[in-house]
């Protein structure tokens, strides 16, 4: 969590001793980007992705983009990934799929990939600590490889094909595996960037960063890398042109290909709501169709997520949050001695955020396509709000936790002040499919689990349709009913992000 809004002013590169640097600067800043920590003036023409160090960015390294890259060095890197998997296939085939055979066990160990936390990418609720890919997933991967071998397939054209055959291999795992296998190259890539921008580096042990050919296994090793001065953890960078929201070769794309190209060939009926298990079953039953799909995707090509324009606000939410908090500042050090004071503070913070969104043009960042009324994902709206709240709470001496696990699911935000006074805040888009469930059930469940008597339900208006107008108007009545029925206090707050006319037009 972030408890202050102060930033280092002295270039860190002049202080190669981390202890000395930390002594000069308060550690409690807002979450910062790599470029800000090391005082690099980041430019769009830079090849590398500029990560937020405290929060993982919901983007993933797509191996297909590495495969299709024009740079021969990265093409060789992809070949190295495939050589690794082809060797594993041969090793597994040599075991005759005997689970007690040493080659089978060795293949299992080769398919274990720890989460490469150094990159700050992928899924994470509130920090850059992730879950990783352990023995359980390795077993599933080897199971899929075994099934392929039984069908006479002893190699794959792209390792992501395994994600079409195994339910546990999602976009996060594909990205993790890619980063793990290319970690030696990406360490050198990061070192080159640090040399270019005069970023200090320190020797740190990095997991899964050296492949011991003699032992046929990955080892931990020490490397000279940049270090997060707050956590003392290593940082690694990736080319931004390899980042996507979804891998090119994924079960989602395979399902779409089935729907548009192979429905008649396979004589199957496909529904829009197909579960991944059903898609996987089709892939296992029709391996030739999977190969045709891979060939089709290679011919069609793919493209990276535009990190710099950032249409869905995966990346720049922290910068925008900083601007919003600065444009609509809040009173510092308010007196908070009871639940009513804390509730009033939370409403004040929301009011300032609403003022920025509705009156200062902030509503624009909530939309990735205003003409087609497509908003950014709700989770990124919450991230933007989080970034603003962190700064307000720091100024007020209030602790803010995001997605606190209640035992019945995570609540969006929890405010805590002196004496362990707490209130909850749930934030939902008006068009969310479980909007009323969030107010009538979810919020109450969280309040009970956390033994909290006060909550705010924050509705974000993103539609003016007749049903949504009715929903918008019914909010107060629904909140009052829920409060009275459960002897608690649920208050309503609103933010209207609908596009506004300019002052001259209005």
């Amino acid at each position: 969590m972030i408890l202050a809004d102060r930033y280092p002013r002295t270039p860190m590169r002049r202080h190669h001793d981390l202890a000395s640097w930390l002594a000069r600067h308060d550690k409690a800043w807002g979450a910062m980007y790599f470029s800000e920590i090391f005082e690099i003036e980041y430019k769009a023409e830079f090849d590398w992705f500029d990560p937020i160090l405290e929060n993982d960015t919901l983007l993933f390294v797509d191996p297909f983009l590495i495969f299709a890259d024009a740079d021969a060095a990265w093409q060789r890197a992809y070949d190295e990934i495939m050589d690794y998997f082809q060797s594993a296939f041969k090793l597994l085939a040599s075991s005759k799929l005997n689970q007690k055979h040493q080659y089978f066990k060795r293949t299992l160990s080769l398919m274990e990939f720890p989460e490469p936390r150094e990159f700050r990418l992928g899924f994470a609720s509130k920090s850059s600590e992730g879950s990783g890919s352990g023995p359980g997933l390795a077993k599933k991967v080897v199971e899929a490889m075994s099934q392929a071998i039984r069908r006479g397939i002893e190699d794959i054209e792209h390792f992501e094909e395994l994600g079409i055959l195994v339910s546990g291999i999602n976009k996060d795992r594909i990205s993790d595996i890619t980063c793990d296998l290319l970690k030696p190259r990406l360490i050198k890539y990061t070192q080159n960037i640090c040399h270019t921008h005069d970023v200090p580096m320190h020797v740190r042990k990095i997991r899964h960063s050296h492949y011991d050919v003699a032992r046929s296994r990955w080892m931990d090793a020490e490397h000279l890398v940049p270090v997060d001065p707050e956590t003392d953890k290593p940082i690694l960078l990736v080319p931004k042109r390899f980042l996507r929201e979804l891998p090119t070769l994924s079960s989602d794309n395979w399902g779409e290909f089935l729907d548009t190209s192979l429905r008649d060939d396979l004589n199957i009926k496909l529904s829009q709501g197909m579960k991944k298990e059903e898609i996987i079953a089709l892939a296992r039953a029709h391996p030739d169709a999977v190969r045709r799909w891979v060939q089709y995707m290679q011919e069609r090509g793919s493209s990276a997520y535009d990190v710099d324009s950032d249409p869905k606000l995966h990346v720049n939410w922290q910068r925008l949050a900083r601007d919003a908090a600065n444009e609509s500042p809040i009173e510092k050090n308010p007196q908070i001695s009871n639940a009513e004071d804390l509730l009033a503070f939370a409403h004040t913070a929301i009011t300032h955020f609403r003022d920025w969104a509705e009156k200062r043009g902030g509503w624009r960042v909530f939309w990735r396509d205003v003409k087609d009324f497509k908003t950014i994902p709700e989770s990124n709206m919450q991230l933007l709000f989080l970034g603003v709240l962190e700064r307000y709470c720091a100024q007020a001496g209030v602790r803010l936790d995001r997605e606190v696990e209640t035992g019945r699911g995570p609540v969006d935000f929890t405010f805590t002040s002196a004496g362990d006074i707490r209130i909850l805040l749930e934030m939902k888009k008006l068009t969310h499919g479980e909007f009323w469930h969030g107010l009538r059930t979810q919020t109450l469940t969280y309040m009970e689990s956390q033994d909290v008597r006060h909550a705010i339900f924050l509705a974000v208006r993103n539609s003016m349709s007749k049903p949504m107008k009715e929903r918008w108007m019914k909010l107060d009545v629904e909140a009052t009913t829920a409060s009275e029925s459960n002897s608690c206090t649920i208050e309503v707050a609103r933010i209207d992000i609908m596009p506004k006319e300019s002052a001259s037009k209005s």
Side-chain angles (χ1 to χ4, degrees):
M1 69 194 70
I2 310 300
L3 299 180
D5 185 18
R6 294 204 293 276
Y7 303 93
R9 301 301 180 195
T10 307
M12 182 184 164
R13 53 180 171 266
R14 297 176 187 171
H15 305 283
H16 292 264
D17 175 17
L18 284 179
S20 167
W21 190 88
L22 287 171
R24 294 170 178 263
H25 302 91
D26 191 326
K27 291 195 299 180
W29 339 298
M32 298 179 71
Y33 296 82
F34 176 86
S35 61
E36 293 174 335
I37 288 286
F38 298 106
E39 296 203 344
I40 300 168
E41 185 181 350
Y42 188 80
K43 299 177 182 178
E45 58 263 31
F46 287 170
D47 180 69
W48 47 278
F49 174 65
D50 187 19
I52 301 174
L53 298 190
E54 186 174 282
N55 299 79
D56 283 351
T57 299
L58 198 61
L59 293 174
F60 307 88
V61 174
D62 180 10
F64 187 87
L65 293 177
I66 302 175
F67 158 78
D69 197 63
D71 190 325
W74 288 112
Q75 291 175 4
R76 288 194 297 273
Y78 187 85
D79 290 341
E80 291 172 6
I81 293 177
M82 291 313 304
D83 288 344
Y84 183 86
F85 277 95
Q86 304 296 16
S87 298
F89 259 98
K90 291 179 181 178
L91 192 66
L92 184 61
S94 298
S95 75
K96 301 189 184 300
L97 306 185
N98 178 357
Q99 296 186 15
K100 295 183 179 180
H101 197 286
Q102 61 174 338
Y103 289 167
F104 189 98
K105 294 178 180 178
R106 179 62 59 82
T107 307
L108 276 173
S109 67
L110 289 174
M111 292 300 108
E112 285 191 32
F113 299 97
E115 165 149 33
R117 298 173 180 174
E118 302 86 2
F119 298 95
R120 277 72 172 174
L121 295 168
F123 293 116
S125 61
K126 60 181 288 186
S127 72
S128 58
E129 298 295 321
S131 56
S133 308
L137 184 59
K139 187 176 180 180
K140 289 184 178 182
V141 174
V142 173
E143 175 191 345
M145 293 166 66
S146 299
Q147 290 182 1
I149 290 171
R150 290 190 185 100
R151 291 186 173 89
I153 301 173
E154 296 192 6
D155 63 0
I156 51 176
E157 294 184 25
H158 296 270
F159 86 86
E160 307 97 295
E161 291 177 44
L162 295 174
I164 316 303
L165 303 173
V166 183
S167 60
I169 302 183
N170 56 21
K171 55 189 177 183
D172 205 26
R173 302 305 181 227
I174 289 173
S175 179
D176 286 353
I177 291 170
T178 306
C179 288
D180 268 322
L181 292 177
L182 295 184
K183 197 173 282 185
R185 282 181 176 268
L186 292 171
I187 288 172
K188 292 181 180 178
Y189 176 82
T190 302
Q191 290 171 339
N192 288 337
I193 291 167
C194 289
H195 287 309
T196 299
H197 296 285
D198 194 22
V199 173
M201 292 182 281
H202 305 269
V203 175
R204 293 292 183 272
K205 181 178 287 187
I206 298 181
R207 296 180 66 195
H208 206 271
S209 60
H210 171 71
Y211 186 69
D212 190 319
V213 177
R215 298 182 183 180
S216 297
R217 67 177 58 183
W218 285 94
M219 310 289 290
D220 297 347
E222 291 188 335
H223 301 273
L224 193 63
V225 292
V227 174
D228 183 338
E230 184 176 6
T231 64
D232 199 38
K233 292 180 179 179
I235 305 166
L236 293 180
L237 304 173
V238 299
K240 61 186 177 185
R241 67 182 184 277
F242 297 152
L243 297 179
R244 277 176 58 90
E245 294 179 279
L246 189 72
T248 303
L249 301 182
S250 66
S251 59
D252 288 13
N253 288 338
W254 156 247
E256 291 175 8
F257 182 67
L258 275 174
D259 195 33
T260 58
S261 303
L262 300 180
R263 183 198 304 261
D264 296 332
D265 292 353
L266 299 180
N267 193 26
I268 54 177
K269 184 178 180 180
L270 299 173
S271 65
Q272 289 184 339
M274 285 186 70
K275 297 179 180 178
K276 182 166 184 179
E277 289 73 17
E278 296 173 319
I279 295 174
I280 289 170
L282 285 172
R284 289 177 173 176
H286 303 281
D288 291 341
V290 175
R291 286 297 167 91
R292 278 192 280 166
W293 165 68
V294 170
Q295 183 177 1
Y296 164 77
M297 295 302 291
Q298 288 181 175
E299 292 172 354
R300 194 185 76 166
S302 185
S303 58
Y305 178 77
D306 190 338
V307 168
D308 297 309
S309 67
D310 194 23
K312 294 189 179 180
L313 208 64
H314 289 306
V315 182
N316 290 315
W317 61 269
Q318 184 63 251
R319 293 187 178 96
L320 289 168
R322 190 178 306 157
D323 292 343
N326 290 337
E327 287 180 27
S328 189
I330 201 168
E331 176 190 358
K332 294 184 179 180
N333 303 317
Q335 295 298 315
I336 299 176
S337 58
N338 52 49
E340 287 70 26
D341 291 341
L342 186 58
L343 199 61
F345 163 77
H347 277 296
T348 299
I350 293 170
T351 298
H352 279 260
F353 186 68
R354 180 171 57 242
D355 179 71
W356 171 78
E358 296 180 2
K359 299 178 181 178
R360 299 173 184 267
W363 59 267
R364 293 182 178 86
V365 305
F366 290 89
W367 298 89
R368 58 189 176 97
D369 191 329
V370 175
K371 285 186 177 181
D372 291 336
F373 285 93
K374 293 181 179 178
T375 65
I376 62 174
E378 183 180 83
S379 57
N380 290 351
M381 292 183 184
Q382 293 175 346
L383 277 176
L384 176 60
F385 190 41
L386 168 71
V388 175
L389 287 181
E390 283 178 332
R391 286 159 175 78
Y392 289 161
C393 288
Q395 294 171 357
V398 173
R399 193 173 79 243
L400 176 70
D401 295 312
R402 180 168 187 252
E403 292 189 340
V404 175
E405 183 57 49
T406 65
R408 302 291 296 277
V411 65
D412 289 341
F413 304 101
T414 303
F415 296 89
T416 306
S417 191
D420 202 27
I421 304 168
R422 287 179 295 164
I423 63 169
L424 303 183
L425 186 148
E426 278 290 294
M427 178 180 181
K428 275 192 167 32
K429 285 198 298 187
L430 193 62
T431 55
H432 194 291
E434 295 187 351
F435 183 83
W436 287 130
H437 174 75
L439 175 58
R440 296 166 181 162
T441 304
Q442 198 174 48
T443 300
L444 293 167
T445 301
Y446 295 161
M447 293 175 73
E448 182 180 357
S449 300
Q450 291 286 291
D451 192 24
V452 174
R453 307 312 303 163
H454 292 78
I456 298 174
F457 188 83
L458 174 60
V460 180
R461 186 176 200 168
N462 63 316
S463 172
M464 292 289 285
S465 68
K466 185 176 179 180
M468 293 303 106
K469 286 182 179 179
E470 292 175 355
R471 181 175 287 188
W472 188 252
M473 297 299 294
K474 285 176 62 178
L475 267 169
D476 294 294
V477 173
E478 291 286 342
T480 299
T481 301
S483 298
E484 292 176 350
S485 300
N486 295 272
S487 301
C488 62
T489 301
I490 300 177
E491 299 190 8
V492 168
R494 296 172 172 86
I495 295 177
D496 187 346
I497 63 168
M498 292 302 297
K500 312 292 189 295
E501 288 188 341
S502 66
S504 58
K505 289 183 179 179
S506 61

